Structure formats: structure tokens, C-alpha cells
Amino acid sequence: SVNFGAGYEGDAVQPRTVTLSNTGEVPLTLYLSGLQNFELVGALSTDRLAPGESVALSIRPKEDLPLGRYTET
């Protein structure tokens, strides 16, 4: 989970970096679509992780969200 902290409506929110790791034994294909409340900052450097590989990505809440708690699955 990622916590962006408390803020006020209209505040700029700094992106948070998340690291995805493939701890399995087969390649992992990354597929991100349909995000309702959050967006990627930049592009993924890869869409496939071999076993043992990791990739970092930055996310932030979409602009103009009303105050509240938001989740994505």
C-alpha cells in the first residue's frame, strides 16, 4: 500500500515510488490499465520481469480528486 498523507483540496501531491519484484520462478508480464484514481508518472521501463528482477515506478493521485480515501486493485 502507498500512503500519500493528509492534504488539502488543490494541494500538489508528490509522486511516490513503488518497486515491483518478481519473486516467482517464471517471467511476469506487467499490465496496468483502467486506473481510476491514480496515474503513472512517466512510463514503465519494461513490461516483463524475469524471476528475480525488479522495476521501480512512480505513481500519484489524479488531479482534481475530491478529498477522500482512494484505492486501486
Side-chain angles (χ1 to χ4, degrees):
S1 87
V2 177
N3 185 338
F4 288 94
Y8 296 97
E9 198 162 346
D11 279 356
V13 178
Q14 294 298 313
R16 300 292 192 267
T17 300
V18 176
T19 301
L20 303 177
S21 301
N22 183 355
T23 59
E25 298 177 6
V26 296
L28 176 66
T29 300
L30 303 176
Y31 180 72
L32 300 173
S33 81
L35 296 176
Q36 301 295 313
N37 303 307
F38 301 93
E39 60 190 5
L40 288 177
V41 178
L44 283 174
S45 60
T46 185
D47 64 351
R48 191 169 177 88
L49 293 179
E53 287 187 329
S54 298
V55 65
L57 58 100
S58 293
I59 60 171
R60 68 176 167 222
K62 289 186 176 180
E63 289 186 22
D64 299 326
L65 284 175
L67 287 178
R69 290 181 177 246
Y70 296 92
T71 61
E72 295 282 359
T73 56

